[in-house]
Coordinates of all heavy atoms in Angstrom, one line a residue:
V8 N -8.8 7.3 -11.0 CA -8.3 6.5 -9.7 C -6.8 6.4 -9.9 O -6.4 5.8 -10.9 CB -9.1 5.5 -9.4 CG1 -8.5 4.8 -8.2 CG2 -10.7 5.9 -9.3
L9 N -6.1 6.8 -8.9 CA -4.6 6.4 -9.0 C -4.6 5.0 -8.2 O -4.7 5.0 -7.1 CB -3.8 7.4 -8.3 CG -2.4 7.2 -8.1 CD1 -1.6 6.9 -9.5 CD2 -1.7 8.2 -7.3
W10 N -3.9 4.0 -8.9 CA -3.8 2.7 -8.4 C -2.3 2.5 -8.1 O -1.4 2.4 -9.2 CB -4.2 1.6 -9.3 CG -4.3 0.3 -8.8 CD1 -3.9 -0.1 -7.5 CD2 -4.5 -1.1 -9.5 NE1 -4.0 -1.6 -7.4 CE2 -4.3 -2.0 -8.7 CE3 -4.8 -1.2 -10.9 CZ2 -4.4 -3.4 -9.1 CZ3 -4.9 -2.5 -11.3 CH2 -4.7 -3.6 -10.3
R11 N -1.9 2.3 -6.9 CA -0.5 2.2 -6.4 C -0.3 0.7 -6.3 O -0.9 0.0 -5.6 CB -0.2 2.9 -5.2 CG 1.4 2.7 -4.8 CD 1.6 3.2 -3.5 NE 1.7 4.6 -3.4 CZ 0.8 5.3 -2.6 NH1 -0.2 4.8 -2.0 NH2 1.0 6.6 -2.6
K12 N 0.7 0.2 -7.2 CA 1.0 -1.2 -7.1 C 2.4 -1.4 -6.4 O 3.3 -0.8 -6.8 CB 1.1 -1.8 -8.5 CG -0.3 -2.0 -9.3 CD -0.1 -2.5 -10.7 CE -1.4 -2.5 -11.4 NZ -1.3 -3.1 -12.9
V13 N 2.3 -2.2 -5.3 CA 3.6 -2.3 -4.5 C 4.1 -3.9 -4.9 O 3.3 -4.8 -4.6 CB 3.4 -2.2 -3.0 CG1 4.6 -2.4 -2.3 CG2 2.8 -0.8 -2.8
H14 N 5.2 -3.9 -5.5 CA 5.8 -5.2 -5.8 C 6.6 -5.7 -4.5 O 7.6 -5.1 -4.2 CB 6.6 -5.2 -7.0 CG 5.9 -4.7 -8.2 ND1 5.2 -5.6 -9.0 CD2 5.9 -3.4 -8.8 CE1 4.6 -4.8 -10.0 NE2 5.2 -3.5 -9.9
G15 N 6.0 -6.8 -3.9 CA 6.8 -7.3 -2.8 C 5.8 -8.3 -1.9 O 4.7 -8.6 -2.4
S16 N 6.3 -8.5 -0.7 CA 5.6 -9.4 0.1 C 4.3 -8.7 0.7 O 4.3 -7.4 0.6 CB 6.3 -10.0 1.3 OG 6.9 -8.9 2.1
P17 N 3.4 -9.4 1.3 CA 2.3 -8.8 1.9 C 2.7 -7.9 3.1 O 2.1 -6.8 3.4 CB 1.4 -10.1 2.4 CG 1.8 -11.1 1.6 CD 3.2 -10.9 1.2
G18 N 3.8 -8.1 3.7 CA 4.2 -7.3 4.8 C 4.7 -6.0 4.2 O 4.3 -5.0 4.9
Q19 N 5.4 -6.0 3.1 CA 5.8 -4.7 2.4 C 4.5 -3.8 2.1 O 4.5 -2.7 2.2 CB 6.7 -4.9 1.2 CG 8.0 -5.5 1.7 CD 8.7 -5.9 0.4 OE1 8.3 -6.5 -0.6 NE2 10.1 -5.6 0.5
V20 N 3.5 -4.6 1.6 CA 2.2 -3.9 1.2 C 1.6 -3.2 2.4 O 1.3 -2.1 2.4 CB 1.2 -4.8 0.4 CG1 0.1 -4.1 0.1 CG2 1.9 -5.3 -0.8
R21 N 1.6 -4.0 3.5 CA 1.1 -3.4 4.8 C 1.9 -2.3 5.2 O 1.3 -1.3 5.9 CB 1.1 -4.5 5.8 CG 0.3 -4.2 7.2 CD 0.0 -5.4 8.1 NE 1.3 -6.1 8.2 CZ 1.6 -7.3 7.7 NH1 0.8 -7.8 7.0 NH2 2.8 -7.8 7.9
D22 N 3.1 -2.3 5.1 CA 4.0 -1.1 5.7 C 3.7 0.1 4.8 O 3.5 1.1 5.4 CB 5.4 -1.5 5.4 CG 5.9 -2.6 6.5 OD1 5.1 -2.8 7.4 OD2 6.8 -3.2 6.2
V23 N 3.4 -0.2 3.5 CA 3.1 1.1 2.7 C 1.7 1.6 3.0 O 1.5 2.9 3.1 CB 3.3 0.7 1.1 CG1 2.8 1.9 0.3 CG2 4.7 0.4 0.9
A24 N 0.8 0.7 3.2 CA -0.5 1.1 3.4 C -0.7 1.8 4.9 O -1.5 2.8 5.0 CB -1.5 0.0 3.5
E25 N 0.1 1.4 5.8 CA 0.1 1.9 7.2 C 0.7 3.3 7.0 O 0.4 4.1 8.1 CB 0.7 1.0 8.1 CG 0.0 -0.3 8.4 CD 0.8 -1.1 9.4 OE1 1.9 -0.8 9.6 OE2 0.2 -2.1 9.8
S26 N 1.4 3.6 6.1 CA 2.0 4.9 6.1 C 1.0 5.9 5.7 O 1.3 7.2 5.7 CB 3.2 5.0 5.2 OG 2.8 4.7 3.8
V27 N -0.1 5.4 5.1 CA -1.2 6.4 4.6 C -2.0 6.9 5.8 O -2.3 6.0 6.6 CB -2.0 5.7 3.6 CG1 -3.1 6.6 3.0 CG2 -1.2 5.3 2.5
S28 N -2.3 8.1 5.9 CA -3.0 8.6 7.0 C -4.5 8.5 7.0 O -5.4 8.6 7.9 CB -2.7 10.2 7.3 OG -3.1 10.8 6.1
E29 N -5.0 8.0 5.7 CA -6.4 7.9 5.7 C -7.0 6.7 6.3 O -6.2 5.7 6.7 CB -6.9 7.8 4.2 CG -6.5 9.1 3.4 CD -7.3 10.3 3.7 OE1 -8.5 10.1 4.2 OE2 -6.8 11.4 3.7
S30 N -8.2 6.6 6.5 CA -8.9 5.5 7.2 C -8.9 4.1 6.5 O -8.9 4.3 5.2 CB -10.2 5.8 7.7 OG -11.0 6.0 6.6
A31 N -8.9 3.0 7.1 CA -8.7 1.8 6.2 C -10.1 1.3 5.9 O -11.1 1.6 6.5 CB -8.1 0.7 7.2

């Protein structure tokens, strides 16, 4: 499993996650 760790605020994490086309 590839675990992507985003260092930043929750808003930055949400921006990265929303860029993913897969379902939530």
Side-chain angles (χ1 to χ4, degrees):
V8 178
L9 175 61
W10 183 12
R11 179 190 288 116
K12 297 180 180 180
V13 179
H14 302 279
S16 63
Q19 292 175 320
V20 176
R21 185 170 53 255
D22 293 339
V23 174
E25 288 177 352
S26 65
V27 180
S28 60
E29 298 292 331
S30 60

